[in-house]
Amino acid sequence: MAHAADKISIEDAQKELRELAVRIGEANAAYHTHDAPKISDAEYDALKRRHSELEAQFPELVSEDSPSQKVGAAPLPGFEKVRHQVPMLSLGNAFTEDDVRGFVQGVMKFLNLSESPEFVAEPKIDGLSLALRYENGELVYAATRGDGRTGENVTANARTINEIPKSLRGAPDILEVRGEVYMHQSDFLKLNDENKEKGAKVFANPRNAAAGALRQLDARITAERPLRFFAYSWGQVSEPLSGSQFGALERFQELGFVTNELTKLCQSVEDMLRVYDSITQKRVELGYDIDGVVYKVDPLALQDRLGFRSTTPRWAVAHKFPAETAWTRLEKIDIQVGRTGALSPVARLTPITVGGVVVSNATLHNKDYIEGRASDGSEIREGKDFREGDWVEVYRAGDVIPKLRDVDLSKRTSDAAPFEFPKACPICSSPALQEEGDSTIRCTGGFICDAQVIEKLKHFVARNAFDIEGLGAKQVEQFFNDGWVRTPVDVFKLGENYGAKAERPLERRDGWGPKSAENLFRAVEAKREIPFHRFLFALGIRHIGESAAKLLARNFVTWEALRETILSAQKRSGDAWETLLAVDGIGDRAAEALVESLEDPRSRAAIDELVGVLLVLPDEGIQNSGSPVAGKTVVFTGTLTKMTRAEAKAKAESLGAKVSGSVSAKTDYLVAGEAAGSKRTKAQSLNVTILSEDDWLSLIAT
Ligand code: IVH
């Protein structure tokens, strides 16, 4: 599957988006309000492009105050929102043949199959996905993907697309067809030529042009743009379309949709890779952009058993085309300090276009990477290091943060010195240290490091955390520099300390007025009530990302319960420590970070003070209250014969059960397969209900 190191994390993307938003905002103000541009048009376009790329990659990060939601100065009135009955997810990535083999093996392992199932291979269209809902054969609405749960109602625009049928004959009563809206390259070039002539917006690529056309508020403009549609998937259906993916595509064709003609049924991984090669060959002459090949398990019954991870299906993967590369100058290496103190080296490049996007920064990962070493000490790039002034090869793979691949030593000047990684934090001068087994060097400044504190605060108010409207990266920096907000609790004291009657009211501060100040205070008040998992994620504890926070919230239900367990686990052993580790998905490092977060008296006091001004809402604990195992803690042991351990776990979780790795007094059921050993004995001694595999299956069937 995708290499973790090849992907930009959601945290990094969020951080970069906020920085870009600030720079775009400043450029807009300079241009529109002060009529004095500070950066060139090309630089401005590069910022906007990078911003929209990141938002496209992480739609969940698109915030209401995002520059993409504004046209010039006036915000778009916006489209009506549509809630997707079945979420619109994205796909996991594969970059190499080995990744694809790994994917097929993973599917076989999950299902305990000895042979590969059939797969459908389809081109991955580089457009934007659209859901079309038909009721009794009539198109009732068309919605964009949005954040995957809620999209925008673009029905009037979709109706102008010829390849989208307005009514269907012989379709299920309810049918939601999903597919890709895209534009042919020739149409895109023509549109851009016309726009250039008119002085109107010029698009970077056909995908952006298609997105722009689909999101027109005036459907007459959409109608003038030659958009097309391929059907490849579906959401809610009142009766099955077919027993297979391939059959469903045939059904779409019969109903009048266009499906992609390069779609092939494959018997083996070798077949899949052959189709990939053949599609690669045809890519240049297709006339529209594709960025890879999607493989999907063909039998729908198997798709059903495989199910979904949090954001991607287990039954499909996108095999991406190789990265595009370009050579440019590495002008400078900067060090950024993140919220956990990580010192991240960033390459500042002479701007260069890579695959249609202007790139001026690239990640350098860490010290080892700069020096030409992998984290296990082995050589990368034949051990060649990167130095300021070097001539370097930039690439963009299936992800969005550009990276450096190679360096041309023949172009290195004799005065180029090896890069010296700082031994102290560039912001607070505290020593920068490397922990064993960690390739990251961290600032040890903690609370005294302004960079860490600011980044923590930004994280605290970010979209997936407290999500306070009107309080973005820029405002956080402003308030921090003013000394108004130093810790999270200060955010909740803004109204009290800087309200209209205060000595130094916010409304008199530059860039604020009575209305915006009042709105901010109101937005803060609205977030005093917060779901437990968001609160926990907002604390910015290392290794506690969104999914870990959700797992913990679901298992402990209240913050008080988790806090107590963490405090009792300070010895890193004993019952409380085991209770933390028993949460499936929480490992040693996460447990250690939780304990550390309350170990330091200052940090504990800050968290307690914060809780004091909030109402942290208990988690529902269980998701599927209709199921007999909802809220129960289950342990699987021994060899299961009817399903694999992974499938059993995924199924149990989808029914609202908590799956744990060890038996304790809190275990409700031990499902004992063949040759169950010590866990069975322990369960007996604790009087835990022991079920056979068949007992379990009949229990969940009720
Ligand atoms: S299937 C549950 N098939 O790629 C997954 N997606 O990276 C459903 N895309 O959001 C998606 N061509 O916009 C699928 N043949 C294809 C596709 C395709 C393009 C897009 C789609 C999706 C994105 C995921």
Side-chain angles (χ1 to χ4, degrees):
M1 280 278 146
H3 304 293
D6 274 353
K7 281 192 162 169
I8 173 175
S9 69
I10 190 159
E11 285 90 344
D12 287 346
Q14 188 163 37
K15 186 167 163 238
E16 202 188 348
L17 276 171
R18 296 218 175 256
E19 286 163 7
L20 285 166
V22 172
R23 288 170 65 187
I24 293 169
E26 284 166 0
N28 277 340
Y31 187 90
H32 294 291
T33 319
H34 310 296
D35 245 3
K38 284 194 184 136
I39 58 175
S40 72
D41 286 359
E43 278 173 71
Y44 180 76
D45 287 344
L47 291 177
K48 290 273 282 200
R49 241 184 332 242
R50 174 81 184 133
H51 189 275
S52 60
E53 255 194 338
L54 280 175
E55 286 195 334
Q57 167 103 354
F58 296 104
E60 61 272 43
L61 293 182
V62 179
S63 64
E64 276 168 33
D65 56 357
S66 160
S68 68
Q69 310 297 301
K70 298 174 191 146
V71 168
L76 273 179
F79 293 90
E80 192 192 311
K81 298 277 183 275
V82 177
R83 180 131 184 112
H84 298 299
Q85 299 296 323
V86 178
M88 288 181 85
L89 300 179
S90 58
L91 293 168
N93 289 329
F95 297 103
T96 64
E97 293 199 347
D98 275 353
D99 291 347
V100 177
R101 288 180 211 284
F103 162 69
V104 173
Q105 274 158 12
V107 165
M108 288 167 59
K109 191 158 169 237
F110 190 93
L111 297 170
N112 197 21
L113 302 177
S114 52
E115 275 174 33
S116 166
E118 287 188 287
F119 283 87
V120 171
E122 308 168 8
K124 185 170 188 300
I125 316 299
D126 198 4
L128 56 148
S129 44
L130 186 69
L132 304 169
R133 187 177 172 94
Y134 294 86
E135 287 176 11
N136 302 315
E138 294 302 317
L139 177 64
V140 290
Y141 69 71
T144 60
R145 183 178 128 155
D147 65 4
R149 309 237 157 228
T150 313
E152 286 173 327
N153 186 336
V154 291
T155 314
N157 298 353
R159 282 183 177 283
T160 70
I161 301 176
N162 283 335
E163 288 178 347
I164 293 181
K166 313 306 166 278
S167 55
L168 306 175
R169 288 213 348 211
D173 291 349
I174 294 176
L175 170 63
E176 190 191 319
V177 177
R178 293 178 178 179
E180 203 84 350
V181 173
Y182 68 103
M183 195 183 274
H184 273 199
Q185 287 147 354
S186 54
D187 291 327
F188 155 73
L189 293 173
K190 203 165 133 240
L191 172 69
N192 257 1
D193 278 350
E194 288 165 9
N195 277 7
K196 229 178 269 170
E197 202 125 295
K198 284 192 271 184
K201 184 168 176 150
V202 173
F203 295 97
N205 50 45
R207 179 166 52 88
N208 289 4
L214 191 67
R215 297 189 68 253
Q216 281 296 331
L217 286 167
D218 182 349
R220 282 170 304 185
I221 301 177
T222 314
E224 289 168 10
R225 310 268 170 90
L227 293 177
R228 291 161 185 271
F229 182 77
F230 278 127
Y232 54 64
S233 164
W234 57 93
Q236 205 182 12
V237 279
S238 53
E239 58 192 87
L241 290 165
S242 164
S244 67
Q245 172 73 25
F246 203 81
L249 293 176
E250 284 174 344
R251 189 81 196 279
F252 284 154
Q253 267 186 353
E254 286 161 21
L255 290 171
F257 291 94
V258 184
T259 60
N260 194 285
E261 57 176 14
L262 299 179
T263 303
K264 292 275 183 301
L265 198 56
C266 305
Q267 311 297 323
S268 65
V269 72
E270 300 310 323
D271 259 7
M272 291 153 68
L273 296 173
R274 264 193 295 276
V275 174
Y276 177 85
D277 285 342
S278 131
I279 292 181
T280 306
Q281 302 274 317
K282 297 190 183 115
R283 185 179 181 190
V284 283
E285 51 204 48
L286 284 180
Y288 52 87
D289 287 356
I290 60 174
D291 56 353
V293 174
V294 184
Y295 307 120
K296 302 175 184 173
V297 169
D298 189 49
L300 299 186
L302 295 187
Q303 285 194 6
D304 218 42
R305 280 178 60 193
L306 284 156
F308 297 86
R309 296 177 209 91
S310 59
T311 60
T312 57
R314 285 195 193 86
W315 44 264
V317 77
H319 188 180
K320 298 306 243 344
F321 290 133
E324 314 220 28
T325 75
W327 287 87
T328 189
R329 176 89 52 211
L330 167 55
E331 294 180 351
K332 193 167 178 302
I333 298 177
D334 274 343
I335 302 287
Q336 287 177 347
V337 185
R339 79 184 144 82
T340 59
L343 302 193
S344 309
V346 182
R348 306 291 180 202
L349 307 167
T350 306
I352 177 94
T353 305
V354 190
V357 172
V358 180
V359 170
S360 46
N361 300 312
T363 173
L364 284 167
H365 303 291
N366 51 45
K367 178 171 180 281
D368 289 341
Y369 189 78
I370 296 177
E371 291 173 357
R373 269 195 318 272
S375 52
D376 61 5
S378 62
E379 275 188 356
I380 47 175
R381 302 184 301 274
E382 294 147 0
K384 289 180 278 186
D385 66 338
F386 288 124
R387 300 183 184 184
E388 291 181 338
D390 270 344
W391 194 247
V392 291
E393 188 181 23
V394 188
Y395 75 102
R396 297 173 58 238
D399 56 357
V400 283
I401 279 251
K403 298 185 181 54
L404 299 190
R405 166 178 284 171
D406 204 0
V407 47
D408 186 347
L409 293 186
S410 72
K411 294 215 168 111
R412 181 175 282 173
T413 52
S414 55
D415 58 351
F419 180 71
E420 281 215 28
F421 206 92
K423 298 198 169 39
C425 172
I427 306 295
C428 73
S429 306
S430 299
L433 297 178
Q434 191 164 6
E435 276 171 37
E436 221 182 283
D438 187 357
S439 44
T440 307
I441 297 184
R442 282 172 210 281
C443 157
T444 51
F447 280 107
I448 68 149
C449 179
D450 283 1
Q452 283 191 50
V453 176
I454 291 180
E455 292 309 317
K456 278 202 168 71
L457 287 168
K458 285 183 192 166
H459 171 83
F460 181 76
V461 300
R463 183 149 150 95
N464 302 351
F466 269 77
D467 188 21
I468 297 175
E469 216 180 311
L471 191 55
K474 193 172 160 180
Q475 291 78 18
V476 165
E477 270 174 39
Q478 191 182 59
F479 293 155
F480 180 86
N481 291 330
D482 289 348
W484 288 13
V485 173
R486 293 272 164 175
T487 67
V489 75
D490 293 340
V491 170
F492 292 93
K493 294 187 184 155
L494 276 169
E496 185 183 318
N497 292 340
Y498 306 100
K501 296 200 189 80
E503 197 181 317
R504 285 188 304 159
L506 174 62
E507 61 179 61
R508 269 196 250 129
R509 206 189 175 296
D510 244 15
W512 295 87
K515 190 140 196 275
S516 55
E518 192 45 44
N519 285 344
L520 177 69
F521 300 145
R522 208 169 289 148
V524 169
E525 283 316 304
K527 292 297 160 81
R528 273 191 206 267
E529 274 187 26
I530 181 127
F532 178 17
H533 68 90
R534 269 182 180 261
F535 163 78
L536 187 54
F537 172 68
L539 295 181
I541 298 168
R542 249 170 96 188
H543 309 299
I544 308 297
E546 270 187 292
S547 60
K550 280 188 184 149
L551 282 172
L552 288 163
R554 195 161 145 201
N555 276 272
F556 287 90
V557 181
T558 63
W559 160 248
E560 287 69 28
L562 175 63
R563 180 183 183 278
E564 201 158 301
T565 308
I566 295 175
L567 288 176
S568 313
Q570 302 283 320
K571 286 206 296 282
R572 278 89 170 153
S573 65
D575 280 357
W577 176 251
E578 293 302 327
T579 307
L580 288 176
L581 291 176
V583 178
D584 209 48
I586 298 296
D588 281 343
R589 290 189 316 173
E592 174 63 32
L594 286 168
V595 169
E596 274 174 20
S597 72
L598 293 187
E599 203 164 39
D600 173 49
R602 277 182 63 177
S603 132
R604 183 165 70 221
I607 294 175
D608 287 345
E609 193 189 354
L610 174 65
V611 173
V613 303
L614 299 175
L615 181 61
V616 182
L617 302 169
D619 194 83
E620 287 172 9
I622 32 172
Q623 271 171 9
N624 196 334
S625 52
S627 138
V629 297
K632 305 286 186 205
T633 301
V634 185
V635 176
F636 292 96
T637 189
T639 314
L640 303 179
T641 56
K642 306 239 163 70
M643 57 198 158
T644 61
R645 190 71 75 77
E647 186 179 355
K649 174 169 180 269
K651 180 78 189 169
E653 284 175 348
S654 76
L655 292 171
K658 298 177 215 164
V659 179
S660 169
S662 57
V663 176
S664 75
K666 294 201 185 109
T667 310
D668 293 295
Y669 299 115
L670 177 81
V671 181
E674 282 168 20
S678 62
K679 287 188 191 163
R680 189 191 183 105
T681 323
K682 181 153 185 206
Q684 273 163 343
S685 71
L686 290 169
N687 273 335
V688 169
T689 309
I690 301 178
L691 302 177
S692 69
E693 191 177 357
D694 284 337
D695 293 342
W696 166 255
L697 289 174
S698 39
L699 176 64
I700 61 177
T702 51

